[in-house]
Amino acid sequence: MDIDLAALRALERERDVSLDILIPAIEQALLLAYHRTEGAYRNARVELDRKTGHVVVWAREEIEQPEPEEGEEHPRRELGPEFDDTPTGFGRIAATTARQ
């Protein structure tokens, strides 16, 4: 999924809002939208490439260790490697989010 950076730069000029403020705000809004999708992972982040406008949702699965270690009451949970979990059709959601 891609966001039109020319449109963001125009918004930056029109509203006098820096891209350094706009991009993290868009990433946060997209993360919230991602968390509303079915099957979303709790441990995720959204990355908007500042050169290309390409957006990727990076997620990490929680892996529960089978046995608690000595002295621990509950099994430990570790995070697996990051993987691209950008939902199909997320561009529509992103466009609506970006407009808001």
Side-chain angles (χ1 to χ4, degrees):
M1 176 191 72
D2 295 323
I3 289 182
D4 184 2
L5 289 178
L8 286 183
R9 287 190 186 95
L11 185 62
E12 178 183 37
R13 285 188 304 275
E14 290 171 14
R15 305 281 176 132
D16 196 29
V17 178
S18 169
L19 281 179
D20 292 333
I21 293 171
L22 281 174
I23 290 177
I26 290 171
E27 288 173 335
Q28 185 62 35
L30 292 174
L31 183 60
L32 289 172
Y34 166 77
H35 279 138
R36 290 187 198 117
T37 63
E38 188 175 325
Y41 288 86
R42 187 171 69 168
N43 295 295
R45 67 185 177 89
V46 172
E47 182 178 75
L48 191 159
D49 187 304
R50 292 170 183 250
K51 292 179 183 174
T52 64
H54 188 69
V55 175
V56 177
V57 177
W58 295 106
R60 296 177 80 177
E61 187 174 21
E62 280 188 19
I63 303 167
E64 189 171 307
Q65 298 303 312
E67 296 291 323
E69 288 191 13
E70 191 174 318
E72 291 182 333
E73 292 182 28
H74 304 285
R76 284 186 315 161
R77 292 179 184 205
E78 294 182 3
L79 296 176
E82 279 190 322
F83 58 93
D84 183 345
D85 195 41
T86 308
T88 304
F90 197 60
R92 250 184 330 126
I93 296 167
T96 302
T97 302
R99 280 188 210 108
Q100 292 174 353

